[in-house]
Amino acid sequence: MQKKKIIDYLKKFGLSELEAKIYLTLLDTGPISVRDLADLVGIKRTRTYLYINYLVEKGLILKIVQGAKQQVTVNQPEETLQQLIHE
């Protein structure tokens, strides 16, 4: 129930429901592979990349590349959420 309220709140600031779910999942997990993130959110991996790119453009998450391994994580929530609210 609490998570639904947070998702609704994030939607008021321009995030889609899936973007909000991905963001909240990343807050819970920390750095994670796109495949694992897709599994947790319950969407296809290829579709997950689309939403990751949207969230990167908004400055909310970061891609971390270490060799052939790519992960995603949140980008300093205190600052990025304030920026999102300001916009």
Side-chain angles (χ1 to χ4, degrees), residues 5-43:
K5 287 182 183 180
I6 296 170
I7 288 171
D8 289 342
Y9 186 74
L10 290 171
K11 285 169 60 177
K12 290 180 183 179
F13 294 104
L15 295 184
S16 71
E17 185 154 345
L18 276 174
E19 288 172 325
K21 284 181 181 180
I22 289 169
Y23 184 74
L24 290 178
T25 301
L26 287 171
L27 283 174
D28 288 340
T29 64
I32 189 172
S33 72
V34 176
R35 179 180 305 278
D36 291 340
L37 177 61
D39 289 343
L40 287 173
V41 177
I43 61 175

Side-chain angles (χ1 to χ4, degrees), residues 40-53:
L40 287 173
V41 177
I43 61 175
K44 293 182 179 182
R45 181 182 50 83
T46 54
R47 189 170 177 210
T48 305
Y49 280 106
L50 177 69
Y51 289 101
I52 286 171
N53 289 335

